[in-house]
Amino acid sequence: MDVGDDSSIWRKFKFVVWLLLKERERLQAFRQSDGLQANGVPAYDAYASLVPNALLYFDTRNSAAIGITDAELSSRLSHLDVQAPLRLGFSGRLISMKGADHLMEIAHQLQKRQIPFSFDIFGDGELLPQMQKKIEECGLIASVRLRGVADFSSELVPFIKSNLDLFICCHRQGDPSCTYLETYACGVPIVGYDNRAHQGILALHDVGWSVAMNDVEGLADLVARLNNQRDEIKTKALNAARFAREHTFEATFQRRISQCMQILHQ
C-alpha cells in the first residue's frame, strides 16, 4: 500500500467520523423539537419517532395548474391500445449517481429482446459523449434521442405529459429527488432501481415498479413484460396522477404551513 492509499483511507475515515458526529447533533436537536418536516419516506422513517409531530412531504415544483388533466391522460393512454412502440423517457443530470451510465445499456437490452420502443432523454452532463458513442456503436439511432436541456414548464412537462408511457429511473442515490413527484404529476409511472426514496414511495402508493440496484437486465425484462401487459401501465399511470394531485406544490406548502401554525399555537 503506497502513501496515496493511506491518505485516501485516512480522508474517508475522517469523513465517516464527521458524519457520525453530525448525526448525533441532529438527533439531539430533533429530540428537543416540537415538530419535524421530512422530505421523503427515508427521512420520515428515520426521525419521525423522535418528535411529537412529524410531517411527511414530497418535494416538487409542479403546481396544480401544470399537472396532467383527465382528458390529457386519457388521450395519451389510448396510445397503449394500438400496440405502438412503448415510449420511454428520462430527464436529469447525465451522471453516474443518476444512473445515466445504464440508460444506453437498457436500451441495448431492449433492442436485443426485439422490443419496439422509443427513448427520449433530456439533460446534460459528463456522460453525454459516452452515451452518444454507445448509440452509434449499438445501432440505437432510430430508437434513442438525446434531447439536451429543456425548459421545465414550457418544454419538458408538456412533452412528458403527451409523449411518455414509462419513465426509466436508474437513480443510485436514495435522495428525495423531485423527479418522482414531477413525473407522477404528468401521469407517468416510474420503472426504477430500488433505492430508498423510490422504495419508500412504492410502499405507500402503487405508482410504479422497482428492480434491484444496478440490475440492468432485470429492468429490461420488466419493461419487456409491461410491453405485453399494458393495462398494468394504465392502472399505475392513473394512480400516479391521483397521487401527484394530492401533493402539488400548493397543497404541500399549505400542509407545511398548517403544521407550523398548529405547533405555534400549542
Side-chain angles (χ1 to χ4, degrees):
M1 180 180 295
D2 59 29
V3 175
D5 290 333
D6 287 340
S7 176
S8 175
I9 292 172
W10 176 241
R11 285 196 302 269
K12 290 178 181 178
F13 174 76
K14 289 196 297 184
F15 179 66
V16 169
V17 171
W18 179 84
L19 282 179
L20 291 173
L21 291 174
K22 286 296 180 182
E23 179 67 5
R24 186 173 69 175
E25 292 176 6
R26 185 179 297 113
L27 294 174
Q28 290 173 344
F30 289 165
R31 290 190 180 103
Q32 298 174 36
S33 301
D34 293 318
L36 173 72
Q37 297 185 354
N39 179 15
V41 176
Y44 183 85
D45 287 346
Y47 303 118
S49 63
L50 301 177
V51 298
N53 188 330
L55 172 70
L56 168 65
Y57 74 94
F58 300 98
D59 188 25
T60 180
R61 291 174 287 180
N62 279 57
S63 66
I66 64 174
I68 196 165
T69 66
D70 289 339
E72 289 172 330
L73 183 54
S74 178
S75 175
R76 197 194 72 224
L77 292 181
S78 66
H79 172 88
L80 295 170
D81 294 329
V82 296
Q83 293 304 306
L86 281 181
R87 299 172 297 180
L88 314 178
F90 171 86
S91 68
R93 288 177 290 160
L94 303 182
I95 59 176
S96 295
M97 185 179 72
K98 298 296 184 181
D101 52 325
H102 283 182
L103 298 179
M104 294 304 96
E105 184 58 35
I106 289 167
H108 189 209
Q109 291 288 334
L110 291 172
Q111 180 190 57
K112 291 196 293 186
R113 289 163 172 73
Q114 299 183 328
I115 304 298
F117 71 96
S118 64
F119 200 171
D120 290 281
I121 298 171
F122 292 85
D124 196 3
E126 61 190 35
L127 294 179
L128 179 59
Q130 175 184 320
M131 294 169 70
Q132 292 171 325
K133 182 179 179 182
K134 189 75 172 179
I135 289 172
E136 295 175 3
E137 290 177 347
C138 296
L140 294 167
I141 295 175
S143 302
V144 180
R145 295 179 284 265
L146 299 175
R147 294 186 171 271
V149 177
D151 180 78
F152 177 72
S153 58
S154 66
E155 298 176 283
L156 183 60
V157 169
F159 183 92
I160 293 176
K161 287 198 295 186
S162 299
N163 299 288
L164 292 191
D165 301 313
L166 295 170
F167 188 98
I168 306 300
C169 185
C170 299
H171 289 194
R172 293 185 172 91
Q173 187 177 35
D175 63 310
S177 171
C178 57
T179 295
Y180 299 107
L181 265 290
E182 290 169 358
T183 302
Y184 301 143
C186 296
V188 177
I190 293 175
V191 177
Y193 289 155
D194 62 350
N195 66 64
R196 293 180 64 200
H198 189 203
Q199 283 300 99
I201 294 173
L202 294 183
L204 300 177
H205 303 279
D206 187 22
V207 292
W209 308 260
S210 69
V211 300
M213 187 67 64
N214 298 318
D215 186 1
V216 171
E217 291 200 8
L219 200 150
D221 286 340
L222 177 55
V223 173
R225 177 181 71 77
L226 293 172
N227 183 54
N228 294 319
Q229 297 177 347
R230 297 187 172 201
D231 283 346
E232 190 173 334
I233 300 176
K234 288 184 178 183
T235 296
K236 300 208 181 193
L238 292 167
N239 291 345
R242 189 178 304 114
F243 170 46
R245 287 168 188 160
E246 297 172 356
H247 296 276
T248 62
F249 176 84
E250 296 91 343
T252 298
F253 182 80
Q254 186 57 55
R255 277 195 288 269
R256 296 182 71 183
I257 292 297
S258 296
Q259 189 212 29
C260 290
M261 295 301 295
Q262 177 189 357
I263 293 172
L264 180 63
H265 291 102
Q266 284 179 349

